[in-house]
Amino acid sequence: MANGVDGDLVGLETELMAAVAAAADLDGLEEARVAALGRKGKLTALMRGLGELGADARKARATALNLLKDRLGAALDAKKETLGAAAIEARLARERIDVTLPVRPESAGRIHPVSHVVDEITAIFADMGFAIAEGPDIEDDFHNFEALNIPAEHPARQMMDTFYLRDDASGGRKVLRTHTSPVQIRHMQAHQPPYRIIAPGRVYRCDSDMTHSPMFHQVEGLAIDRAIHMGHLKGCLFEFARSYFEVDRLRVRFRPSHFPFTEPSAEMDIGCAWKDGELRIGEGDDWLEILGCGMVHPKVLTAAGVDPTQWQGFAFGMGIDRIAMLKYGIPDLRAFFESDLRWLRHYGFSALDQPSLAEGLAL
Ligand code: PHE
């Protein structure tokens, strides 16, 4: 065997290979290559020495040297590849640019729970095909009462503790809307059915205690089409409650109720338990009311210019502050409107987290 004959080559190979392995970068590797294969390299010198040997010895020695040269060449190539890749990695790391914007100091502010819950509700109903509708806070008697089948002298007018504005020039007396239901009327007057809308906004009633504030928030819902029935109402509100409270197996029930603008009317309750003074939604066998709903009364459709022989649908109304308190365990409604920064920091939400069904609502 060539290696047996050329015992001196074993030591040389070990030395040359060690130099290749020790090269820390491409320059170092080039040095190792030159030291072996350059003009004055150790292997080159041995190659030159071949001429001095006899024919047989030369042949065997040449084979051994060439094999060594091949192995060294392969080691050099392999090392070059690793060092090359490492060099690119190092350069990429060095030249990396962070294109994300730093969090700006002003984003330290918090989103009010009411705004956040409006975003959550919007995300859920948008997913079911509902659009957003709006109406004015200062309403006329027709939209807030009359068209909703609440005629003058109807007891519901007293129940609502209405704030009245001064009589205007035409003798009409405007009110601060007592619910978001007038948005139903405005939307039906301005659009051709079918439609599905929700209308979040402020409402006003002359009332104030732990759970009542003279200004609070509601979200109205309205779905009108040719064949909408109570099953659609239930399915839609079941789905809403389960998504909003983020409890898949939430128990829900409908209780018969009365509203002048819906027939039949119902109130929806969700299942809950009180444990150690704490409310647990989705557990136990207590019930909590969360909204009013029903099939839109034919008189309401007529008043808003929609033909009740062609169209029908459901409506619902829900207190936003109330469901925010229930979900986030906020004890006193009045704190919502006191603008206390400590409260807001505690109960508020990050401005960078937008609720969505895919990424989660509460965040
Ligand atoms: N407007 C009712 C309220 O303020 C809620 C409601 C809306 C009920 C729509 C039924 C249908 O209590």
Side-chain angles (χ1 to χ4, degrees), residues 27-299:
D27 287 345
L29 187 64
E30 177 61 8
E31 267 171 40
R33 190 191 66 80
V34 170
L37 303 168
R39 266 197 308 132
K40 294 180 184 155
K42 289 189 174 165
L43 207 53
T44 315
L46 291 180
M47 295 279 200
R48 281 210 191 99
L50 282 174
E52 289 153 27
L53 299 174
D56 283 352
R58 183 164 66 212
K59 197 171 170 210
R61 180 78 170 169
T63 308
L65 286 176
N66 276 325
L67 285 173
L68 171 53
K69 192 179 166 191
D70 286 351
R71 286 194 296 276
L72 189 66
L76 282 164
D77 285 349
K79 182 76 178 179
K80 190 169 176 180
E81 202 161 300
T82 359
L83 287 177
I88 289 174
E89 287 302 325
R91 184 164 167 204
L92 283 175
R94 213 169 39 244
E95 296 180 3
R96 181 191 151 95
I97 298 174
D98 182 358
V99 293
T100 56
L101 280 174
V103 174
R104 293 190 307 219
E106 60 264 38
S107 77
R110 306 295 281 175
I111 299 292
H112 195 286
V114 168
S115 306
H116 182 83
V117 165
V118 168
D119 288 345
E120 293 187 24
I121 295 171
T122 305
I124 298 167
F125 282 107
D127 193 60
M128 292 193 258
F130 284 72
I132 303 266
E134 283 180 320
D137 287 19
I138 297 177
E139 266 299 0
D140 51 39
D141 189 89
F142 177 77
H143 290 93
N144 196 79
F145 296 121
E146 199 72 38
L148 288 161
N149 196 27
I150 314 174
E153 314 311 327
H154 191 287
R157 292 209 181 194
Q158 273 81 59
M159 271 159 49
M160 290 222 186
D161 302 306
T162 314
F163 283 113
Y164 289 94
L165 275 72
R166 254 185 240 110
D167 288 2
D168 58 23
S170 61
R173 200 155 56 139
K174 291 262 180 31
V175 300
L176 293 180
R177 66 178 180 191
T178 55
H179 49 180
T180 41
S181 300
V183 186
Q184 288 185 36
I185 306 298
R186 290 188 178 274
H187 192 82
M188 290 193 274
Q189 287 176 320
H191 299 86
Q192 276 300 314
Y195 27 69
R196 265 177 260 176
I197 53 136
I198 56 165
R202 293 167 192 256
V203 299
Y204 307 82
R205 290 181 201 177
C206 189
D207 206 351
S208 182
D209 59 33
M210 271 270 283
T211 51
H212 296 90
S213 143
M215 186 279 293
F216 59 105
H217 300 83
Q218 282 189 340
V219 57
E220 193 78 9
L222 176 72
I224 300 290
D225 209 325
R226 297 208 180 265
I228 291 202
H229 52 69
M230 200 80 185
H232 295 121
L233 174 154
K234 289 176 78 175
C236 172
L237 294 176
F238 271 7
E239 181 64 27
F240 164 76
R242 289 184 184 134
S243 300
Y244 175 75
F245 290 105
E246 299 179 70
V247 177
D248 283 344
R249 304 179 57 168
L250 186 66
R251 289 178 310 122
V252 187
R253 77 173 181 192
F254 285 80
R255 263 181 305 105
S257 183
H258 174 79
F259 300 101
F261 30 89
T262 46
E263 180 57 38
S265 302
E267 276 168 327
M268 183 168 119
D269 298 342
I270 55 168
C272 68
W274 290 95
K275 268 195 198 140
D276 312 322
E278 211 182 279
L279 174 68
R280 306 276 177 86
I281 288 168
E283 297 175 19
D285 42 33
D286 278 344
W287 295 99
L288 257 181
E289 180 205 322
I290 65 159
L291 58 84
C293 57
M295 301 305 294
V296 180
H297 198 296
K299 279 191 171 178

